[in-house]
Amino acid sequence: MNGAASMNTWARARAPASVGNVAAGFDLLGHTFAGPADEVLVRRVPTPGVRINAIHGSAAPLPRDAARNTAGAALLALGAALHLDFGFEIEIHKGIAYAAGLGGSAASSVAAVVAANALLPAPLTPQRLYPHAVSGEAVASGARHGDNVGPMLLGGLVLASAERLLRVPVPSGLHCAVVHPRCELETRAARAVLAVPYALHDFVAQSTYLALLLAACYRGEIELLREGLHDVLVEPRRAALIPGFASVRAALLDAGALGGSLSGAGPSVFAWCRDAASAHTVLAAMRAAFAGHGIDSEGWVALVDGPCAEVVECGS
């Protein structure tokens, strides 16, 4: 993304998994973590438009029609905005589980635009790639929000408004424990339970928690994070959609986590912890709680200040 003219005709990019919402930051706040990732191979072709040649690694059937696929829709938006006189062929490699709440839809979209960016005569900044990646992710979620896309473009914890991305500092050594139970929850279904209006006092409480969370990050005060890692709007309505969630949330707190909630729309659950050792203890407790409800799971421990999407190889 340095603005130099590109002679590349193909590029492969990787986008990491993410934790969306981060409790109080619904649709606004998210962070990446080193764990599963999606990769997209993009080839530049003479004819405008986007064609999906293959999709690998998905347990669920994903659309091959570019306009209905997150990666394809993102590149269509990019091509239209830049009035490109060429097009793209893409191959998607899914490493993030379907409907897991780990940003899988966004990851394919982001990996596609980052790879395609390496093929442009004048590559764009992450901020300028942002609206096109959001357009792709919206195909799956049914809404435009950047809490997964933003962190994948910048890395780490990111506040993503409709127009702007702002990377948020986090206390040194802060780790997350993320558990994915072996079940699925589609984002559209999870958003449907949010349709009933909220009371004003709940909105004020949620705003307070988000302000405390951001203040703790900017001040570098780990203990203050305990006061901000709460969700009184979304989590209560979605909790019933995830078997065993109440037990898992209780377990992560009992094990010493600073706080935690659903990762994105769920069913994955995240916890923030003061260090790696604490995060491993919390991870084991969360998985044991899911197991107590007869649910197998997988999990990861990683820094909250996670990686960004990047081109892993390219050529002509």
Side-chain angles (χ1 to χ4, degrees), residues 5-304:
S6 173
M7 298 299 292
N8 295 322
T9 59
W10 65 270
R12 181 192 301 270
R14 176 185 296 120
S18 62
V19 170
N21 301 336
V22 193
F26 178 69
D27 277 3
L28 294 172
L29 193 64
H31 72 85
T32 55
F33 66 95
D38 279 8
E39 291 191 1
V40 178
L41 173 66
V42 178
R43 294 184 178 88
R44 179 170 164 165
V45 295
T47 306
V50 178
R51 184 172 70 184
I52 300 174
N53 289 337
I55 302 175
H56 307 283
S58 177
L62 298 177
R64 294 279 293 272
D65 174 17
R68 296 190 303 115
N69 181 284
T70 64
L75 293 189
L76 287 171
L78 178 70
L82 298 182
H83 307 289
L84 298 180
D85 60 359
F86 57 88
F88 305 103
E89 292 183 349
I90 62 177
E91 188 173 312
I92 302 168
H93 297 260
K94 295 295 295 180
I96 302 173
Y98 175 76
L102 298 175
S105 299
S108 292
S109 175
V110 170
V113 297
V114 169
N117 196 45
L119 311 181
L120 298 180
L124 306 179
T125 64
Q127 179 66 56
R128 291 188 62 196
L129 289 176
Y130 177 51
H132 311 307
V134 168
S135 293
E137 204 265 355
V139 169
S141 69
R144 292 184 67 87
H145 54 91
D147 56 321
N148 291 303
V149 167
M152 292 176 188
L153 286 170
L154 295 188
L157 180 66
V158 172
L159 184 65
S161 72
E163 304 294 336
R164 180 185 293 274
L165 298 177
L166 178 65
R167 184 158 181 169
V168 178
V170 295
S172 177
L174 189 68
H175 277 68
C176 64
V178 183
V179 175
H180 170 223
R182 303 289 189 178
C183 55
E184 296 176 356
L185 178 57
E186 291 191 354
T187 301
R188 286 177 182 267
R191 293 185 81 89
V193 301
L194 308 179
V196 177
Y198 287 94
L200 180 60
H201 64 82
D202 287 334
F203 173 77
V204 172
Q206 189 85 342
S207 299
T208 301
Y209 291 133
L210 178 57
L212 286 168
L213 180 60
L214 292 173
C217 287
Y218 276 99
R219 292 166 66 96
E221 297 184 18
I222 285 185
E223 284 303 314
L224 185 57
L225 290 173
R226 294 185 189 275
E227 298 184 38
L229 283 167
H230 298 280
D231 177 4
V232 296
L233 291 185
V234 180
E235 180 187 297
R237 295 191 182 184
R238 287 178 170 173
L241 303 176
I242 294 93
F245 173 73
S247 297
V248 174
R249 193 177 190 285
L252 69 87
L253 292 173
D254 289 344
L258 298 167
S261 186
L262 298 173
S263 175
S268 293
V269 181
F270 82 95
W272 277 12
C273 307
R274 60 174 52 255
D275 53 35
S278 174
H280 281 287
T281 299
V282 168
L283 179 70
M286 294 165 72
R287 296 192 65 193
F290 270 124
H293 289 266
I295 302 171
D296 190 21
S297 65
E298 59 183 334
W300 305 269
V301 166
L303 287 167
V304 170

